[in-house]
Amino acid sequence: MITLKSEREIEMMAQSGALLADVHKHLRTFIKPGITSWDIEEFVRDHIEKNGGIAAQIGFEGYKYATCCSINDEICHGFPRKKVLKSGDLIKVDMCVDLKGAISDSCWSYAVGEVSPEVKRLMEVTKKAMYLGIEQAQVGNRIGDIGHAIQTYVEGEGFGVVRDFIGHGIGPTIHEAPSVPHYGEAGKGLRLKEGMVITIEPMVNTGTWKMKMDDNGWTARTLDGGLSCQYEHSLAITKDGPKILTSQGIEGTY
């Protein structure tokens, strides 16, 4: 069932998203060579809770952590751990915030120290792909328009778009209908309506889009060992166009 949100509910989700965006803003300077993803986990959980929020991923479908910290060839759902990050690594930090019952969800990718031109280009393409998808999140458009815009651009740049993990509706829980693939055919799929709140979160690989699962049953990584990158925003479909709920004016700072 797809729930359409009122203006009040969207504003509450924007406040949740502002807290989440503030965490990402601080991570930009926090993440550096020599720290661990467990340090990131502790920082994120502490920052959310000190500001009145709840780290909503904890306990969701049995997941134990406030963050997913996926490094290099890990596509998503990487467990935070005490492995030291080194210069050249690419880490994706995904989290959800519950603020007074309003949910937000965002993933951002971070270069650790000095990274290769390949990593920089992958990050640039992935971020642009997310925004190209967001541009299609208009009342009257279809889900396929989002995926088509992302897939066409990414594959044109020589990269692969992950098929196994996709965007989704959000609120009142983390994962709601509809499903929002990052690939597809323009003009196909569910028509977008005012009041829908969704995530757009392309995961882009340097090689094949195919993946394999780790033995922990959560962490997905690229099948060919190539790098993977992800960016994600939560956004509302409004009569005035897509309203990003997880940036709050600090887009250029993280």
Side-chain angles (χ1 to χ4, degrees):
M1 178 179 176
I2 298 172
T3 61
L4 300 180
K5 278 70 175 180
S6 66
E7 289 186 10
R8 176 179 174 274
E9 288 171 317
I10 290 172
E11 176 55 33
M12 290 178 65
M13 294 179 79
Q15 292 174 18
S16 176
L19 173 54
L20 197 162
D22 190 55
V23 179
H24 278 306
K25 179 181 177 180
H26 283 83
L27 285 180
R28 178 165 182 163
T29 54
F30 183 81
I31 292 175
K32 61 188 68 176
I35 71 164
T36 69
S37 55
W38 188 254
D39 295 326
I40 296 171
E41 165 75 10
E42 292 185 322
F43 175 86
V44 168
R45 184 169 182 174
D46 182 66
H47 192 90
I48 291 171
E49 292 177 352
K50 279 185 176 179
N51 287 277
I54 297 169
Q57 285 187 164
I58 299 174
F60 180 71
E61 296 183 352
Y63 193 74
K64 297 180 181 180
Y65 309 104
T67 62
C68 297
C69 292
S70 307
I71 303 167
N72 296 333
D73 69 324
E74 295 172 344
I75 296 170
C76 60
H77 305 156
F79 288 0
R81 52 203 185 274
K82 295 187 177 180
K83 179 181 179 181
V84 174
L85 297 174
K86 63 184 186 301
S87 186
D89 283 340
L90 171 62
I91 185 167
K92 292 77 70 177
V93 183
D94 192 358
M95 71 190 82
C96 298
V97 169
D98 179 337
L99 184 65
K100 300 177 182 178
I103 303 291
S104 57
D105 184 3
S106 175
C107 178
W108 218 249
S109 290
Y110 298 90
V112 182
E114 292 296 321
V115 298
S116 68
E118 178 188 36
V119 171
K120 290 179 181 178
R121 181 166 175 266
L122 175 63
M123 295 175 74
E124 290 168 358
V125 168
T126 307
K127 185 188 288 186
K128 182 175 179 179
M130 176 185 66
Y131 285 116
L132 288 172
I134 290 172
E135 286 176 5
Q136 295 299 315
Q138 307 281 348
V139 173
N141 278 4
R142 294 186 180 273
I143 290 287
D145 296 325
I146 296 171
H148 179 75
I150 292 170
Q151 182 182 13
T152 301
Y153 170 65
V154 169
E155 292 182 351
E157 294 294 322
F159 295 121
V161 181
V162 172
R163 309 284 202 276
D164 302 88
F165 300 95
I166 58 178
H168 51 85
I170 182 169
T173 69
I174 292 174
H175 279 193
E176 297 278 343
S179 297
V180 186
H182 305 111
Y183 59 95
E185 188 175 347
K188 300 291 185 180
L190 183 77
R191 195 175 294 280
L192 300 173
K193 296 181 179 180
E194 183 179 359
M196 287 182 177
V197 180
I198 63 173
T199 71
I200 295 178
E201 49 182 300
M203 301 166 208
V204 176
N205 300 343
T206 54
T208 178
W209 59 265
K210 296 180 180 179
M211 49 77 67
K212 57 187 177 183
M213 292 295 297
D214 282 1
D215 290 342
N216 64 26
W218 280 95
T219 306
R221 64 180 69 234
T222 59
L223 186 63
D224 58 6
L227 296 170
S228 187
C229 186
Q230 181 187 8
Y231 288 93
E232 173 189 15
H233 272 314
S234 298
L235 58 131
I237 312 297
T238 80
K239 63 180 184 298
D240 299 317
K243 178 180 179 179
I244 297 174
L245 305 178
T246 43
S247 62
Q248 293 299 314
I250 60 171
E251 184 64 36
T253 65
Y254 72 95

